[in-house]
Amino acid sequence: MLDDIALFVHIARNRSLAKAAAHLGLPAATVTRRLAKLEETIGTQLVFRSARKFDLTVAGEAYFEAFADLVQNAETTLDGLSTDLHGLRGALKVAAPTNISIGILQPMWSDFLKTFPEIQLTLTLSNENKDLLEHRVDIALRAGPQTDERLYQKRLGVVATVLVAAPAYLEQAGAPESPDQIGRHKVVRVSTLPQWQLTNRETGCRETVPVDARVVVDDISLARQLAGDGHGLALLPASEISDDLISGRLTPVLADWQGQQRDIFAVWPTGRLLNARARCLLDYMEPFMAALPVFQGTVVQRDPARSA
């Protein structure tokens, strides 16, 4: 019935059934039939029909005055929502991990803004997984397993973790020769990795190493700095330590073993349509990350010529 009332409002505005039909892209017979159905439903005639003259009845005038503004406002709102959902301009709220965003992904954010200058990006950085629904986030980047059933997720890549230490620390304390010797060493641990799961690259053998850390931090960048300053062994994402491995500030430990891999996901609320701006960002992130070896589980190694 509401659709038929909206149709009647268009008939009244156009002062013609034929013009209303053309405006709405409907067959004239459909407009006539739906108007008659509406009149039958409400029990009164709304339009005087004649070949020469169009006019509203008293009831028609009353209905038009009652619903014209409501229909106009509803259609304006729907048009705005459609533009918001399908347009590549306007607000986009994104959440992402701090370290990866100000590090290896910083060029991605900058290039995205240059490519889509009419998108107004609000980028919230945090190493904690905040509630996307509560904070009204359109789309987020997250690392590690995603267990929230309220979220859609799409895997964008995988990052290896590497056991590293500063050369000066290893020179002083010696390098462990097997995972069971890690407990003899000082350890800098990231709070998101309470246990270290190491896999032998050749045999596939897995070892879970309980870590009695000297230092526990919730920021990967700080853990990297502390490890580089010689405070102990650290298991860190390859995406955060590539420059340190290349420069030699950090060196791999137990080179035959690799830490657990961390999947990188794009996630968004299941109850919310992915608007065009969020879809655009998702489509932009996928090839950008696919082109970086570190997001395919690769660990950058130091050039032997550089260390010679």
Side-chain angles (χ1 to χ4, degrees):
M1 181 175 175
L2 292 177
D3 285 344
D4 291 336
I5 289 176
L7 174 65
F8 162 71
V9 169
H10 281 284
I11 293 171
R13 283 185 184 144
N14 285 276
R15 310 298 294 177
S16 164
L17 274 69
K19 290 180 180 179
H23 175 75
L24 296 171
L26 296 173
T30 299
V31 171
T32 300
R33 176 178 54 78
R34 286 177 55 185
L35 176 60
K37 178 184 175 183
L38 175 63
E39 290 175 327
E40 180 181 353
T41 300
I42 63 177
T44 188
Q45 186 176 358
L46 298 174
V47 176
F48 289 119
R49 301 168 179 79
S50 71
R52 298 182 179 181
K53 185 179 180 182
F54 176 93
D55 208 354
L56 298 177
T57 66
V58 173
E61 293 283 0
Y63 267 80
F64 180 74
E65 290 180 9
F67 288 105
D69 288 343
L70 292 175
V71 170
Q72 178 65 50
N73 291 338
E75 291 178 343
T76 300
T77 300
L78 287 172
D79 288 343
L81 289 173
S82 179
T83 300
D84 181 69
L85 185 61
H86 301 294
L88 292 180
R89 60 185 303 171
L92 173 63
K93 192 168 185 179
V94 181
T98 302
N99 301 110
I100 200 172
S101 293
I102 64 177
I104 195 169
L105 290 184
Q106 186 278 325
M108 182 188 75
W109 302 119
S110 183
D111 292 347
F112 178 77
L113 290 171
K114 290 177 183 177
T115 305
F116 302 98
E118 294 188 338
I119 292 180
Q120 300 164 353
L121 177 65
T122 298
L123 180 58
T124 302
L125 302 182
S126 174
N127 292 326
E128 297 180 1
N129 287 342
K130 295 187 176 181
D131 189 310
L132 302 190
L133 290 168
E134 179 182 348
H135 291 86
R136 304 184 67 80
V137 172
D138 295 306
I139 192 169
L141 267 182
R142 286 187 174 174
Q146 300 300 307
T147 59
D148 192 338
E149 295 181 353
R150 300 175 303 165
L151 302 178
Y152 286 117
Q153 58 180 291
K154 183 168 188 178
R155 184 176 176 272
L156 299 181
V158 60
V159 175
T161 57
V162 187
L163 188 62
V164 295
Y169 172 80
L170 295 175
E171 184 177 348
Q172 177 187 5
E177 297 181 357
S178 62
D180 59 6
Q181 294 183 3
I182 291 174
R184 305 175 188 175
H185 284 264
K186 296 177 181 178
V187 167
V188 178
R189 181 172 68 79
V190 179
S191 59
T192 54
L193 294 173
Q195 288 186 325
W196 292 357
Q197 298 171 359
L198 304 181
T199 302
N200 189 285
R201 299 176 190 274
E202 294 185 2
T203 67
C205 176
R206 294 184 180 182
E207 295 279 351
T208 298
V209 181
V211 181
D212 184 14
R214 180 190 179 198
V215 182
V216 179
V217 297
D218 65 355
D219 183 84
I220 294 173
S221 181
L222 179 57
R224 176 179 62 84
Q225 292 288 342
L226 292 174
D229 290 341
H231 292 288
L233 309 179
L235 185 66
L236 299 172
S239 57
E240 304 301 318
I241 58 173
S242 295
D243 290 344
D244 295 287
L245 291 174
I246 292 171
S247 69
R249 187 170 188 268
L250 289 172
T251 188
V253 177
L254 295 176
D256 292 337
W257 295 79
Q258 179 176 299
Q260 56 259 54
Q261 293 186 324
R262 306 184 79 210
D263 290 321
I264 307 297
F265 294 96
V267 299
W268 61 94
T270 57
R272 184 179 303 168
L273 290 175
L274 196 61
N275 63 43
R277 297 175 299 285
R279 170 60 62 182
C280 178
L281 176 60
L282 177 61
D283 292 342
Y284 198 86
M285 290 191 295
E286 285 189 84
F288 185 95
M289 296 175 69
L292 297 177
V294 73
F295 288 113
Q296 313 310 314
T298 301
V299 178
V300 176
Q301 301 293 334
R302 190 181 189 191
D303 186 349
R306 185 167 181 169
S307 58

